[in-house]
Amino acid sequence: MTSYSSANAPRSFVYHPVFQTIVIAVILLAGPVLLVIGSSMNAADRELVASGSRTTGTVVEVNDGAEAPTHNFRVEYVASDASVHSVWADWAPDAKPAFGSSVTVIYSATEPSAALVEGHGTPGRTVAGLGGLLTVVSVVIVVVMAFGFARGRARRRRAG
């Protein structure tokens, strides 16, 4: 029976330079793209707040998970054309809405399904925050890579 040697074991694809380059490129591109998308979503929400119609909605579902992404709730509301719609909103841990409570919903008169709950989080904030985080991570990666490249280049100059 032969003994196992880790020196002869195949290396994982994670160590392949092409895979690493693709991962770095995705991180570098995803942050700014998400930042732009989140900012445009926030701009649309600000426009909706400024020009939308307001109505009272009823909280019909509250998700109270252990993690922040599951802190959301669903509100049903009736638009001016008597159609019933629902919208999801995020809630902060200190502002949990009660099931059956009334909240203010702001919706577009031309597209009643486009709505948000006044005073609660919207997906645009989350997307912009994630984009900002990935942008910061990508800048740190670029700085570390540039520092490592310069250091390696200096070593090669001294050695050769």
Side-chain angles (χ1 to χ4, degrees), residues 2 4-5 13-14 29 45 48 51 57 62 65 70 74 82 84 90 96 117 124 130 152:
T2 61
Y4 177 77
S5 171
F13 70 94
V14 174
L29 295 174
D45 290 343
L48 185 59
S51 64
V62 178
T70 58
R74 186 168 59 98
V84 178
D90 297 332
K96 180 181 175 183
V117 179
L130 183 59

Side-chain angles (χ1 to χ4, degrees), residues 88-158:
W88 285 92
D90 297 332
W91 56 272
D94 59 339
K96 180 181 175 183
F99 181 81
S101 63
S102 296
V103 294
T104 302
V105 176
I106 305 170
Y107 68 95
S108 170
T110 58
E111 181 62 41
S113 62
L116 59 89
V117 179
E118 189 172 45
H120 290 279
T122 61
R125 288 183 189 174
T126 305
V127 172
L130 183 59
L133 177 67
L134 285 177
T135 300
V136 168
V137 167
S138 65
V139 167
V140 169
I141 288 173
V142 167
V143 168
V144 168
M145 288 176 65
F147 180 74
F149 179 74
R151 194 171 178 192
R153 192 171 185 177
R155 282 184 186 159
R156 284 190 298 275
R157 282 186 183 167
R158 282 190 304 249

Side-chain angles (χ1 to χ4, degrees), residues 2 8 15 23 26 37 47 49 52 64 67 82 100 108 133-134 153:
T2 61
N8 296 331
Y15 295 105
V23 168
V26 167
I37 290 171
E47 182 180 326
V49 168
D64 189 10
E67 298 177 10
S108 170
L133 177 67
L134 285 177
R153 192 171 185 177

